[in-house]
Amino acid sequence: MNRQRSFIGFIVAGAIALLVIAIAGFYWFFAKSPANLIGSTSQPGAAIFVSKLSPVMVSLLANPDRLQALEQEEELSKLKTSLFAKSGIDYKQDIQPWLGNEITLAITTLDIDRDLENGQQPGYLLALSTQQPEKSREFVELLFSKRALAGANLAVEQYKGVKLISDNSQPEQDLLAGAVVGEDFVLFANDLKVLRNAINNVQAPDLNLTSSPEYEKATKQLPKGGLAVAFLNLPIVAKWQGLELPEQLYNSQIISLALNPKGLLAETTFLTSSEIVPPSPPLSKPVGALQYIPASAGLAISGSNLSNLGDSDVAKLWRQATATIYGSKEDVVSRLAKPLADVQKRWGINFPEDIFSWVQGEYAIALLPEEQTTPHWIFVVEKSEAVEQGVTRLDAIASSNGLSINLLTIDKQKISAWTELTTATKKSDVKKGASFSIETKVQGLHTTLGNYEIFTSDLETMDEILTIKDNSIIDNPNFKDSIAAIPLPNQGYIYLDWTKSQNLLERQVPILKLVEVLGKPFFNNLRSLTVSSYGTDTRSLKGGVFFKLNNS
């Protein structure tokens, strides 16, 4: 009997949608009442019901009715209606009067009956905080009475002083179990075993999530006033996905969402029992290499020291994350940076060995999106003796690939160009025979400006850099606002201008179209996102993603 589909259809899917819409609606909150838009507590109170072996727990720490500004978009109203439409429950009448300031959803176990023959049947637990216990009890009674009228066979039992109600439905019907526990929470689950275990976890504190050392360390990283939080037990998440991780450095992850005066900041911390060594010393200000990145860039990556990137803890985290999420080495970043990957393939080079190994100072990488063509790229690196040797090596690689190295001048600036000669056939009179023309195709260019060596994909981009003046990305108000939200010192930035890169992203990562549909209010107002790593704890890796929203 597949007992998970009922809870997904009736409660879980609705709860997830509620969390998505809530996050998407934070934009509207900020615009209208920022002072009131903070979480009621810094930690989920429902963690006492969740096993410390749970792979995932997600919590909204604010009452969804505080999203009143969304009502004008009718998104929240539609969600409230559809969430309980199947059960005949009216949200405003039956739930709104008692619903408190927390909604927590957790996967409590990977397999309820531990029977591999009938497949994995995860246990789902939904905890709703209540501010009026009696009204919430009336709601639970009403919900199950309506299910009985619809043909379900109800069962009632007392378990350790708690009244549990469930239905003994036929396999083709939905199954649901519910209870009001104490004065604070209403619980729903897709199996009675899940409810019983939740009660056991409260009465035997060493079983629940709050007794987990990993969770305790993780919650210390949470900011005050966060609106939502998620905790992941990474080894169990990988097991849930049926994956064998080739490399596992990080044991758990915690994510929090909080409002910032300019948008929404999602902070995450990965915890490990190993000593973490940062890939490079932290930066106290944005790197100077960014002064050569045009404001038109759709994607910009900046930092220092790429020479040990492959062996850094950030790289180990990325390999663990991509294996967990994708089950393969292919990931979103490789698709986004396809123009650079094409260069690597065409030239027969290896970025870590042939380029990253000699980048020990500042660097900046950027893509300038084009609607109909492949994005143009820019690579800026701080000059050093190792960089000079690296450029000489790249010239040798270009020559071995049949490219010519030519010197050009643009506005008195000397530029080295890697060019390829090609022939093109022209239409001609039959008596005269075919005629040919020789064309020069630029495969890349580089030049020195100040203390930086600059590489570009084409002449147009190089010309834009030479005439950049006060129109670089560091002069872009949107970029300034975004990096201002990221704590200092840090390891640099990954900046993505959503409005300029949306078409490129959708072409390279088709699943984003589905994500956009699910989070339409959010993506309609997304201006950009900025990613960075920061923090000084040697047992954790902390970072954040700042979402800059329109009109914020």
Side-chain angles (χ1 to χ4, degrees):
M1 183 184 301
N2 187 349
R3 301 191 174 194
Q4 60 174 307
R5 65 181 178 85
S6 64
F7 204 61
I8 293 175
F10 176 65
I11 294 291
V12 175
I16 292 175
L18 185 59
L19 292 174
V20 170
I21 294 297
I23 293 169
F26 289 167
Y27 160 75
W28 297 103
F29 260 121
F30 175 74
K32 293 181 178 288
S33 55
N36 296 324
L37 190 57
I38 58 174
S40 58
T41 179
S42 60
Q43 297 183 27
I48 60 174
F49 299 109
V50 180
S51 168
K52 59 184 177 183
L53 298 179
S54 164
V56 180
M57 181 182 74
V58 182
S59 301
L60 175 65
L61 302 178
N63 190 299
D65 285 319
R66 296 173 68 190
L67 294 170
Q68 292 301 321
L70 273 178
E71 296 292 353
Q72 64 182 25
E73 296 294 314
E74 299 183 351
E75 298 289 346
L76 190 59
S77 295
K78 292 177 182 177
L79 179 61
K80 292 173 181 177
T81 300
S82 61
L83 177 58
F84 292 100
K86 187 176 180 181
S87 63
I89 295 296
D90 180 87
Y91 173 85
K92 188 173 183 179
Q93 178 179 328
D94 301 322
I95 300 176
Q96 188 182 56
W98 59 264
L99 186 60
N101 294 318
E102 179 180 336
I103 300 175
T104 290
L105 175 65
I107 298 172
T108 60
T109 178
L110 299 183
D111 194 3
I112 296 172
D113 59 10
R114 300 181 182 179
D115 185 354
L116 298 179
E117 293 184 0
N118 60 4
Q120 275 194 343
Q121 300 175 15
Y124 296 95
L125 179 70
L126 178 68
L128 308 173
S129 67
T130 175
Q131 51 192 0
Q132 295 191 40
E134 287 305 317
K135 285 190 177 295
S136 57
R137 288 189 179 91
E138 292 173 5
F139 165 73
V140 174
E141 297 283 350
L142 174 64
L143 173 62
F144 281 95
S145 65
K146 290 193 174 186
R147 291 174 67 83
L149 291 174
N153 298 317
L154 300 186
V156 179
E157 68 172 82
Q158 289 289 329
Y159 184 75
K160 296 187 176 181
V162 179
K163 181 181 179 181
L164 309 183
I165 306 178
S166 62
D167 58 40
N168 276 329
S169 301
Q170 298 301 313
E172 67 274 8
Q173 295 179 309
D174 293 339
L175 284 87
L176 188 66
V180 179
V181 181
E183 301 293 309
D184 299 317
F185 283 97
V186 177
L187 304 184
F188 291 105
N190 60 331
D191 194 286
L192 265 175
K193 293 179 182 177
V194 175
L195 279 189
R196 295 191 191 107
N197 288 336
I199 295 169
N200 291 341
N201 290 335
V202 176
Q203 298 188 357
D206 60 320
L207 298 178
N208 67 47
L209 196 55
T210 61
S211 68
S212 165
E214 287 290 322
Y215 182 76
E216 183 181 2
K217 288 190 294 183
T219 53
K220 290 180 180 179
Q221 304 294 327
L222 291 175
K224 294 182 179 180
L227 292 164
V229 62
F231 179 76
L232 293 85
N233 188 322
L234 297 178
I236 300 180
V237 170
K239 183 180 178 181
W240 179 30
Q241 299 298 316
L243 300 173
E244 292 290 336
L245 298 181
E247 189 172 16
Q248 181 176 301
L249 174 64
Y250 298 93
N251 304 317
S252 59
Q253 176 187 7
I254 196 160
I255 306 167
S256 66
L257 294 174
L259 272 183
N260 176 282
K262 297 294 183 178
L264 179 68
L265 179 63
E267 284 196 322
T268 184
T269 302
F270 294 87
L271 295 109
T272 176
S273 55
S274 304
E275 194 81 9
I276 293 179
V277 179
S280 60
L283 302 169
S284 58
K285 62 181 180 178
V287 299
L290 286 169
Q291 66 186 296
Y292 299 108
I293 303 299
S296 59
L299 172 67
I301 304 172
S302 62
S304 68
N305 190 10
L306 289 171
S307 62
N308 68 338
L309 182 63
D311 295 325
S312 70
D313 296 306
V314 173
K316 293 176 182 178
L317 167 62
W318 189 252
R319 288 193 290 269
Q320 180 176 336
T322 51
T324 302
I325 297 171
Y326 294 96
S328 70
K329 294 181 179 180
E330 185 180 17
D331 55 72
V332 172
V333 170
S334 65
R335 295 183 182 185
L336 293 182
K338 191 174 184 298
L340 299 178
D342 290 342
V343 171
Q344 182 174 235
K345 182 178 180 180
R346 185 168 62 248
W347 283 36
I349 62 175
N350 180 284
F351 279 157
E353 294 178 7
D354 298 321
I355 297 180
F356 294 171
S357 61
W358 43 264
V359 179
Q360 298 175 2
E362 297 179 0
Y363 69 87
I365 303 170
L367 295 181
L368 280 62
E370 292 287 336
E371 288 296 326
Q372 305 297 331
T373 61
T374 301
H376 302 161
W377 54 264
I378 301 170
F379 179 41
V380 183
V381 58
E382 188 177 12
K383 291 277 290 183
S384 68
E385 183 177 343
V387 169
E388 292 180 3
Q389 295 174 355
V391 172
T392 300
R393 176 171 169 76
L394 285 181
D395 286 340
I397 293 174
S399 180
S400 67
N401 279 279
L403 301 180
S404 300
I405 302 174
N406 300 295
L407 291 178
L408 308 174
T409 301
I410 300 179
D411 292 335
K412 299 181 181 181
Q413 177 69 31
K414 292 183 179 180
I415 298 168
S416 296
W418 298 306
T419 61
E420 178 183 16
L421 296 179
T422 60
T423 59
T425 304
K426 294 183 177 180
K427 292 183 179 180
S428 62
D429 189 283
V430 176
K431 294 181 180 180
K432 296 181 180 179
S435 63
F436 299 88
S437 65
I438 297 177
E439 297 180 351
T440 301
K441 185 176 182 180
V442 175
Q443 297 288 357
L445 309 98
H446 66 93
T447 190
T448 300
L449 286 175
N451 194 37
Y452 297 90
E453 190 72 16
I454 301 173
F455 302 81
T456 68
S457 57
D458 54 272
L459 284 167
E460 292 80 4
T461 303
M462 182 63 79
D463 182 61
E464 187 173 357
I465 293 172
L466 295 177
T467 57
I468 200 167
K469 294 184 180 179
D470 296 326
N471 196 32
S472 72
I473 196 169
I474 57 177
D475 300 309
N476 183 337
N478 184 61
F479 180 77
K480 287 182 177 179
D481 288 343
S482 298
I483 64 173
I486 302 294
L488 286 170
N490 57 50
Q491 296 292 332
Y493 308 100
I494 299 175
Y495 171 79
L496 178 69
D497 189 309
W498 175 251
T499 57
K500 295 174 183 175
S501 304
Q502 183 176 0
N503 292 335
L504 169 65
L505 293 172
E506 289 175 346
R507 289 198 302 269
Q508 302 296 344
V509 191
I511 196 174
L512 270 180
K513 292 183 179 180
L514 174 61
V515 175
E516 290 173 46
V517 171
L518 294 176
K520 185 177 178 181
F522 177 75
F523 283 98
N524 282 350
N525 292 288
L526 179 61
R527 181 69 179 82
S528 66
L529 61 89
T530 306
V531 183
S532 185
S533 171
Y534 44 87
T536 57
D537 191 337
T538 59
R539 299 286 178 176
S540 65
L541 180 63
K542 188 172 185 178
V545 182
F546 177 71
F547 298 92
K548 180 76 166 61
L549 303 169
N550 288 326
N551 300 326
S552 63

